[in-house]
Amino acid sequence: MKHLYTFLLLTVFTLTQAQQRHSVYFDLDIDKPNSSSVNEFDTWLQQNKNAVIIKVYGYTDSVGSVTYNKDLSLRRVNDIVNRLKQNNIAFAEDFEIKGFGEEFEQDNNNSENRRVEVYYELPVAEADIPKPEPKKTVFAQKVEKSKVGDKLRLENLNFYGGSAHFLPESIPVLEELLAIMKSHPNLKIEIQGHICCEKKVTHPVSSDRAKAVYSYLNNNGIAHSRISYKDYGATSPIYSIPERNEKERVTNRRVEIKIMAN
């Protein structure tokens, strides 16, 4: 998927940024565009107000001297440049003008030789760039694959010892759980609180920890009907009690969710 997105992005960028060209035609020995080209050019101006002009090249037929034709082609170029400026069309910093006169490969149809070529680019519109799908976290993927009755540990959702106050690293976990609940409107969970250090079936602290998560979700828009909480005390420790170190104690002071409906 990543490679496909990159390919699409590069394709859009390349196609949009590639130089495009608009041709303006002139009558014999005239440095103003003919009436049909004026109408077409005016339409182009209206449809390409955000164009950036890269270069404007002028050409003539082979009638007349080389010097005269070069001067004529430049006068044609200057006329078109002035029209662009009058319409507030932007120019690139390295914008270039050039009059070739008749010194190019002539077309058999002389009317095709009497022209000015406007080369331009159109900036990429942000809305036209395909947006990548948001990358799903490991936990979000586990939720999507879960079945009713499954229990999922909220990694790094931990508390200060003896309290229901979240450790700082818990905030992103809470925000992620909230986002998952909002993006899965049918998801219902039971929030299960656990403690460390004491072999007790229930405990006010584990109840308060589960309730703290419950309150966070409810205060941020998740309906009561989708969430509940329960105190499990020290009945399901990850590390045996008594724990050997603070890392094990922090891990046992945790909250898990049980999938009730999805």
Side-chain angles (χ1 to χ4, degrees):
M1 182 66 187
K2 180 180 178 182
H3 294 303
L4 176 59
Y5 167 72
T6 302
F7 171 76
L8 290 173
L9 180 59
L10 289 174
T11 300
V12 170
F13 184 83
T14 300
L15 290 177
T16 310
Q17 287 294 314
Q19 285 189 12
Q20 302 183 55
R21 181 178 63 180
H22 180 78
S23 300
V24 184
Y25 294 94
F26 297 74
D27 291 332
L28 176 65
D29 202 23
I30 303 295
D31 58 13
K32 307 293 182 188
N34 58 41
S35 57
S36 61
S37 266
V38 167
N39 292 335
E40 291 177 3
F41 192 45
D42 286 344
T43 300
W44 179 89
L45 288 167
Q46 292 302 312
Q47 294 175 347
N48 295 275
K49 292 183 178 295
N50 62 337
V52 177
I53 307 303
I54 307 302
K55 56 189 178 184
V56 181
Y57 288 171
Y59 305 88
T60 69
D61 56 32
S62 58
V63 178
S65 69
V66 170
T67 301
Y68 178 83
N69 284 334
K70 199 150 196 174
D71 177 73
L72 176 59
S73 65
L74 278 173
R75 283 189 278 125
R76 288 172 174 172
V77 165
N78 288 329
D79 179 83
I80 297 304
V81 169
N82 288 334
R83 292 174 189 263
L84 291 166
K85 291 179 178 178
Q86 290 167 7
N87 283 273
N88 298 314
I89 303 298
F91 291 81
E93 289 186 5
D94 54 352
F95 163 68
E96 177 188 12
I97 63 172
K98 185 178 290 187
F100 289 88
E102 64 187 74
E103 297 176 320
F104 66 101
E105 186 176 348
Q106 295 268 316
D107 192 284
N108 290 330
N109 181 355
N110 264 337
S111 62
E112 291 293 322
N113 298 324
R114 299 188 291 264
R115 72 185 192 276
V116 164
E117 302 285 8
V118 179
Y119 294 85
Y120 64 98
E121 290 178 354
L122 295 174
V124 175
E126 185 176 346
D128 295 335
I129 301 176
K131 300 293 188 299
E133 296 178 3
K135 185 177 180 180
K136 294 178 182 176
T137 64
V138 172
F139 183 70
Q141 294 176 40
K142 287 181 179 179
V143 171
E144 291 187 353
K145 294 177 181 178
S146 65
K147 305 182 295 295
V148 172
D150 286 351
K151 294 181 182 180
L152 303 175
R153 181 187 173 197
L154 298 174
E155 299 286 348
N156 296 319
L157 183 60
N158 298 311
F159 302 82
Y160 288 102
S163 78
H165 297 296
F166 298 112
L167 288 171
E169 62 264 26
S170 297
I171 302 306
V173 184
L174 290 167
E175 292 173 344
E176 179 185 19
L177 179 59
L178 176 63
I180 290 171
M181 294 296 294
K182 287 184 175 181
S183 62
H184 295 79
N186 296 323
L187 180 63
K188 295 182 181 181
I189 61 172
E190 179 185 79
I191 303 162
Q192 302 181 346
H194 302 266
I195 62 167
C196 72
C197 311
E198 302 178 67
K199 293 184 178 181
K200 292 188 176 182
V201 175
T202 62
H203 195 283
V205 171
S206 57
S207 176
D208 289 345
R209 287 172 179 167
K211 185 177 179 180
V213 177
Y214 171 93
S215 297
Y216 173 85
L217 294 174
N218 184 244
N219 291 338
N220 284 279
I222 305 303
H224 293 287
S225 59
R226 298 180 57 200
I227 48 179
S228 61
Y229 67 93
K230 189 172 180 178
D231 169 17
Y232 280 82
T235 59
S236 301
I238 292 176
Y239 293 104
S240 297
I241 297 175
E243 298 87 353
R244 294 173 298 175
N245 52 53
E246 180 60 17
K247 178 181 177 182
E248 292 186 356
R249 287 189 285 273
V250 167
T251 301
N252 279 346
R253 297 193 294 263
R254 73 192 190 282
V255 170
E256 295 175 329
I257 63 170
K258 180 179 179 180
I259 306 299
M260 308 302 289
N262 56 8

